[in-house]
Amino acid sequence: MNAMTKISKISRRNTLLGLGAGASALAAGGVLPGSLGFAQAQSSAPIKIGFQKHATGIGAAYGRWYDVATNAAAARINEMGGINGRPVEIITEDDATDPGRGAEVLEKFANQHEVDVAFGTLFSHVVIGSAPRAGELKLPYFVVSEGHHVASGMLNRYTLQPGITDVKSQVISMAPFVADNLGKKVTMIYPDFAFGHDHRDFFSEAIEAQGGEVVAKIAIPPTETTFTRYFPNIPRETEVIYHVMVGPAVLTFVKEMGEFFGPSRPEIFGFIDSLEAVDVQSPGLEFLEGTYFWEGMPRYKQANESEGAAAYRAAVGVNDSGAAIDDPSNVATYAHMFGCWETMHIIKAGMEAANYQGPANRSKLIEAVEAMTAMPESIEHPQGEKVFNGKTHQAFGKQYISKVGDGRLDVVHTASIEDGLYEDEVDYTTQSF
């Protein structure tokens, strides 16, 4: 509701209550008592962004670093003058990495905090549990999740993923490298929820398109704490183990995988999710030497790191090895958290394009983001250039494959935006608000 709508409602209410003659005269002249002060306050009132944070639960490591990137972006935006001359305020609520709690958090954002938009969610089951409520509340919901649920058409027009690529795009980009360099008989190990199922389904299709096959699919509960009992299910003919694991037990997972195989192992290709917030040089991870990982954004500073990426690294307080400058034992979730930084800047750009003044302009904000296309590499987009598809509400960008060597990760292949494109499965712009 904008200031003029509020003023007209005050005018009608005060007339019904019977204002004194002096107040009536002011109203007749178009000025209500206190209205000038209200309009001035409204123009400088903060833009409220509700940050749905995985502060507890299996996503807590991500939540901690998503919080860092989000607040660093807000600080930069405020240093630049805010959004439409208004400061940005981040309002944080813990969703406990739980879908039911996620929906409750959106309700709280809308009705208690009266935020302008909701933002930040990573784990796909939380997005899927929250997005329907965002649609009911007509609350723009900017997710940083990677799941294919947005671009698949499963959700609604109020849910967008403009700052990070999705699993389908990622695995389409990775499959040719795996088939050409590592092997074609693949065993997949993945978490047993929507994010893992995306990997299972889309990589299976992608590797088959390269003449390969998935010889085994091993789904693991995301709350599992030990993994050794799963490894005997890996078939002998396996040439490549494809792993993507999440949660607080990822260090245990990679250690136990190394203990199981010993010095003799298949080729290993992992998504960095299995090593996010974990030091590559941790004892027990020596077997990872010579293995490969997908990275959304390179954790270790590369020789060709762009000026924008270097400025972003400094802004989020991360050193050249991908850990907190003030605590090198605190390893960042660097392959994912850039999505928060980029999405925050997209919200700013969208609000400015829409001349956003308040919740009455939410549909204009969504339309402004839907109209976006090219996003050049910059400090606002430090991970690399992107293309946004307004119909599917999904961004497409570069993908990185890094190799473990000498206790660090170095990029050996960069997949182009074109490598990860696929046919549209939905057109959200045809849906009503």
Side-chain angles (χ1 to χ4, degrees), residues 49-60:
I49 296 179
F51 174 43
Q52 189 179 12
K53 178 181 176 180
H54 302 335
T56 55
I58 61 173

Side-chain angles (χ1 to χ4, degrees), residues 354-425:
N355 191 28
Y356 181 90
Q357 300 299 314
N361 303 134
R362 283 171 172 166
S363 59
K364 288 184 178 180
L365 166 61
I366 292 172
E367 289 173 332
V369 176
E370 288 173 340
M372 294 180 180
T373 52
M375 300 175 179
E377 183 176 311
S378 61
I379 190 171
E380 289 81 14
H381 300 285
Q383 184 265 356
E385 64 176 321
K386 291 181 181 60
V387 172
F388 183 65
N389 184 335
K391 291 182 178 181
T392 65
H393 286 193
Q394 179 60 57
F396 294 84
K398 295 178 179 178
Q399 313 292 340
Y400 303 95
I401 295 178
S402 297
K403 186 176 183 178
V404 181
D406 297 325
R408 56 173 282 135
L409 289 152
D410 284 300
V411 176
V412 294
H413 176 74
T414 301
S416 69
I417 293 174
E418 291 72 23
D419 290 338
L421 296 178
Y422 52 79
E423 294 295 323
D424 294 356
E425 298 172 37

Side-chain angles (χ1 to χ4, degrees), residues 39-48 77-89 347-349 351-353 355-357:
Q40 183 177 2
Q42 180 72 2
S43 67
S44 60
I47 296 286
K48 295 181 179 181
I77 290 169
N78 284 334
E79 288 170 2
M80 297 167 62
I83 297 175
N84 291 329
R86 296 165 60 186
V88 172
E89 179 183 352
I347 292 171
K348 170 181 166 63
M351 286 185 169
E352 290 174 348
N355 191 28
Y356 181 90
Q357 300 299 314

